[in-house]
Each structure stands twice: as structure tokens, then as C-alpha cells.
């Protein structure tokens, strides 16, 4: 490695792990910089990229014991591996390798052939061939990692390989969502994502998943700009099936039913028998809470 301050340095047995969390707009700017250099140089295809849906407004505290049960053993095991690897290097021992059993080797070859077939022009991975070409390597590394939690960590079993392949398939879907023809990082999709987050927060504060159209328009106006732009993004959300816009069954007022809320998010919604919901602390007009199915006032 050549550094400006110290000159040429030789690093033996290097280890490098990078974990980054970026806002979608920041990542989109990074991806598009210098004619997609991050992707064409091989940096992003060698990374595992995900784009999870925001849970802002619906996050709950996880009890500490669950974190300890999952994270502490993993941290301890990784620390032991790194220490053993370093000691083996200092003592001049040969690098330890993990082999696939025949079954794991066979399904890995089938997986690699499948990815290759789906990378041909016009196929599902043709737009993300850079990442797809690394899918087999990602699966092997993950399977080798999973094998270290087996009873016998000296070889990769079919079970470890199946788990690794399933995870890589998920990352292929994430990569396709981000870099495919209908990229989630496009301006329209980023605006839709931002509006979903704003509407989710409004549902959280009003304890309802059916909101007045006028209220939503004013509530998200400060984030997205002009009313015409807000209405355009609302239209895209409706086309995607995330929301339903229409007249209320009783009042005939224009309302927005938020269909995208997950069951976990709806746990925050007060039941119909509860007291009136608190009013929003914003300049937008507060609305009367209604149950979407009957429209009864509470």
C-alpha cells in the first residue's frame, strides 16, 4: 500500500471490512459520480447492498436480553477467529481452508449455472451483470462463514450452502431494485419513499391509517415542494398499490387509506374503542379520527 505520509508499506495477511449506512439521496449521488465509477470499478459488485424500508415512527425498543443472545456470541466467535488467524500467521502455519462436501459442491455449481443463464441479454439479471458475476463467490464466502457455526467446521455442508444461496438471492433482488431499469434510487421513487415516511409519521401521530387528502397534502408539503408535485407523487403511490384515494363512505370527503402499513406498524393504531387521538403539533389542520371500515367518529 502506498501512502502519501509514509510511502510504500507492505501489509501481510490484510483484513478489511467496510460497513456503511447512507441516506438514499447520498448513496444515489455516490453511485452516479464519475460515470458510475463505484459500480464499474468493482467496488459495489463486491459489496452486499440493501435498501430496507424505513420504520420511522413505528420503531420499538428491543429488550436487551435478545440483543445479548444474538450479538454477543457472534462477536465472541469472530474475535476468536481473528485471534487464531493472527496467531497462525505469526507462527508461520499454513492458511486454513474449508472444503465443500459433494452435495454442497453440486448445488453451488447449479446455482452458478442458474445465475449465468439469467445474466444473458434480456434475462432478469442482464441489467446487473457486474453483481451477478460475483454471486457465486458471495455464496461460497457466506457458506464458509456459516459452516463455522456447525458441529464440524472443517467443511461446508448442503445446509450451509442452501442458506448462503438464499441470502445471495435476496441481495440479488436488492441490487436489482437499486440498479435495475426501475431503480428505487430514481428521483420519482425517492420522492415516493419520502412521502411514505411522512404519511407513516402522520398515521403514527393521528393513530389512524385513513387520512384526509387535504390534511396529507399540507402535512407533506414542506418536504416535497409544490402542491402539484405532492399530487403527482400521491398518484404514483396509488398506482403502486401503496395507498387508496377516494371519497369517504359517509362524509364523501377525499381521503387516503394507507395500505402499505405493515401489521407491526398497525399495532400502533389505537383500537376503535379507545379515546380520541391527540392532535398534531403542526400547522396542518387536525382531522377527526375515523375507522376506515365504517367511518364512525370517535
Amino acid at each position: 500500500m502506498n501512502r502519501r505520509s509514509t510511502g510504500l508499506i507492505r501489509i501481510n495477511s490484510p483484513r478489511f471490512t467496510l460497513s456503511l449506512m447512507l441516506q438514499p439521496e447520498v448513496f444515489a449521488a455516490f453511485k452516479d459520480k464519475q460515470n458510475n465509477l463505484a459500480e464499474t470499478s468493482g467496488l459495489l459488485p463486491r459489496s452486499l447492498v440493501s435498501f430496507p424500508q424505513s420504520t420511522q415512527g413505528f420503531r420499538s425498543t428491543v429488550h436487551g436480553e435478545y440483543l445479548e443472545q444474538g450479538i454477543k456470541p457472534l462477536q465472541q466467535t469472530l474475535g476468536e477467529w481473528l485471534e487464531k488467524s493472527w496467531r497462525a500467521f505469526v507462527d508461520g502455519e499454513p492458511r486454513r481452508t474449508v472444503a465443500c462436501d459433494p452435495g454442497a459442491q453440486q448445488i453451488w455449481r447449479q446455482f452458478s449455472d442458474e445465475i449465468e443463464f439469467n445474466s444473458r441479454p434480456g434475462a432478469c439479471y442482464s441489467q446487473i451483470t457486474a453483481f451477478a458475476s460475483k454471486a457465486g463467490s458471495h455464496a461460497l464466502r457466506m457458506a464458509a462463514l456459516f459452516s463455522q457455526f456447525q458441529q464440524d467446521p472443517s467443511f461446508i455442508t448442503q445446509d450451509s450452502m442452501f442458506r448462503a444461496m438464499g441470502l445471495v438471492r435476496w441481495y440479488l433482488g436488492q441490487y436489482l431494485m437499486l440498479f435495475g431499469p426501475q431503480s428505487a434510487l430514481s428521483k420519482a421513487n425517492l420522492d415516493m419513499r419520502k412521502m411514505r415516511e411522512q404519511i407513516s409519521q402522520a398515521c403514527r401521530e393521528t393513530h389512524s391509517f385513513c387520512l384526509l387528502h387535504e390534511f396529507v397534502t399540507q402535512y407533506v408539503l414542506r418536504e416535497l415542494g409544490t402542491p402539484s408535485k405532492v399530487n403527482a407523487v400521491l398518484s404514483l403511490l396509488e398506482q403502486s398499490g401503496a395507498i387508496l384515494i377516494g371519497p369517504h363512505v359517509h362524509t364523501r370527503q377525499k381521503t387516503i387509506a394507507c395500505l402499505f402499513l405493515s401489521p407491526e406498524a398497525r399495532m400502533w393504531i389505537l383500537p376503535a374503542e379507545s379515546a380520541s387521538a391527540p392532535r398534531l403539533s403542526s400547522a396542518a389542520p387536525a382531522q377527526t379520527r375515523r375507522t376506515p371500515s365504517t367511518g364512525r367518529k370517535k
Side-chain angles (χ1 to χ4, degrees):
M1 182 174 67
N2 197 354
R3 301 185 65 180
R4 185 185 297 270
S5 57
T6 57
L8 187 63
I9 299 176
R10 185 180 184 84
I11 300 177
N12 296 311
S13 190
R15 296 167 179 81
F16 179 74
T17 300
L18 180 65
S19 178
L20 288 177
M21 289 181 287
L22 301 173
Q23 294 88 346
E25 294 81 6
V26 175
F27 182 76
F30 164 72
K31 178 184 75 73
D32 297 334
K33 194 173 183 180
Q34 295 185 356
N35 295 322
N36 297 323
L37 181 62
E39 185 173 13
T40 56
S41 66
L43 174 62
L44 288 179
R46 287 179 172 84
S47 305
L48 300 175
V49 184
S50 63
F51 193 39
Q53 183 64 45
S54 173
T55 57
Q56 184 177 10
F58 302 99
R59 290 169 287 198
S60 59
T61 303
V62 179
H63 199 275
E65 66 177 283
Y66 295 110
L67 292 175
E68 292 181 3
Q69 290 174 4
I71 294 178
K72 284 198 172 180
L74 177 62
Q75 291 176 333
Q76 181 179 353
T77 303
L78 292 176
E80 290 173 357
W81 291 346
L82 290 172
E83 182 64 26
K84 287 180 181 179
S85 177
W86 171 249
R87 290 298 173 193
F89 170 73
V90 171
D91 296 341
E93 298 178 8
R95 182 176 296 181
R96 188 171 67 91
T97 59
V98 181
C100 291
D101 69 17
Q105 192 173 58
Q106 180 181 359
I107 61 175
W108 178 80
R109 285 175 175 167
Q110 292 172 350
F111 173 74
S112 299
D113 289 343
E114 174 197 331
I115 300 299
E116 181 69 21
F117 180 77
N118 287 321
S119 298
R120 71 192 191 283
C124 57
Y125 298 145
S126 61
Q127 301 290 327
I128 57 166
T129 54
F131 182 77
S133 66
K134 303 290 189 298
S137 299
H138 286 311
L140 270 178
R141 292 190 183 95
M142 287 184 189
L145 179 63
F146 295 161
S147 70
Q148 300 308 297
F149 293 88
Q150 299 170 172
Q151 206 167 24
D152 184 357
S154 61
F155 63 92
I156 299 171
T157 63
Q158 272 189 314
D159 181 65
S160 293
M161 185 61 73
F162 268 125
R163 293 173 185 272
M165 286 161 47
L167 194 53
V168 171
R169 288 185 199 279
W170 183 83
Y171 276 111
L172 279 163
Q174 292 287 292
Y175 210 90
L176 190 62
M177 178 179 66
L178 289 169
F179 302 101
Q182 302 296 326
S183 173
L185 296 177
S186 67
K187 186 68 170 62
N189 283 326
L190 288 177
D191 286 343
M192 288 170 62
R193 182 183 176 89
K194 186 179 294 184
M195 179 168 283
R196 279 175 61 127
E197 292 172 357
Q198 290 292 311
I199 292 176
S200 294
Q201 183 63 25
C203 292
R204 175 76 167 86
E205 295 185 22
T206 59
H207 301 281
S208 175
F209 53 89
C210 188
L211 307 170
L212 290 177
H213 184 278
E214 181 183 1
F215 165 78
V216 171
T217 302
Q218 294 187 39
Y219 186 80
V220 303
L221 196 58
R222 55 196 172 194
E223 291 290 331
L224 291 174
T226 63
S228 60
K229 184 176 180 181
V230 171
N231 288 324
V233 179
L234 280 174
S235 178
L236 289 173
L237 277 177
E238 185 176 30
Q239 292 172 27
S240 71
I243 63 174
L244 181 64
I245 303 176
H248 197 276
V249 65
H250 291 302
T251 66
R252 313 307 297 172
Q253 288 180 288
K254 196 174 183 180
T255 57
I256 296 175
C258 304
L259 307 179
F260 62 83
L261 293 181
S262 64
E264 293 78 10
R266 293 192 184 206
M267 290 174 62
W268 293 99
I269 306 301
L270 293 179
E273 293 74 17
S274 62
S276 298
R279 295 183 181 274
L280 283 174
S281 56
S282 71
Q287 67 167 25
T288 303
R289 178 178 167 269
R290 303 175 186 275
T291 56
S293 56
T294 65
R296 293 173 297 170
K297 293 186 177 180
K298 293 290 173 185

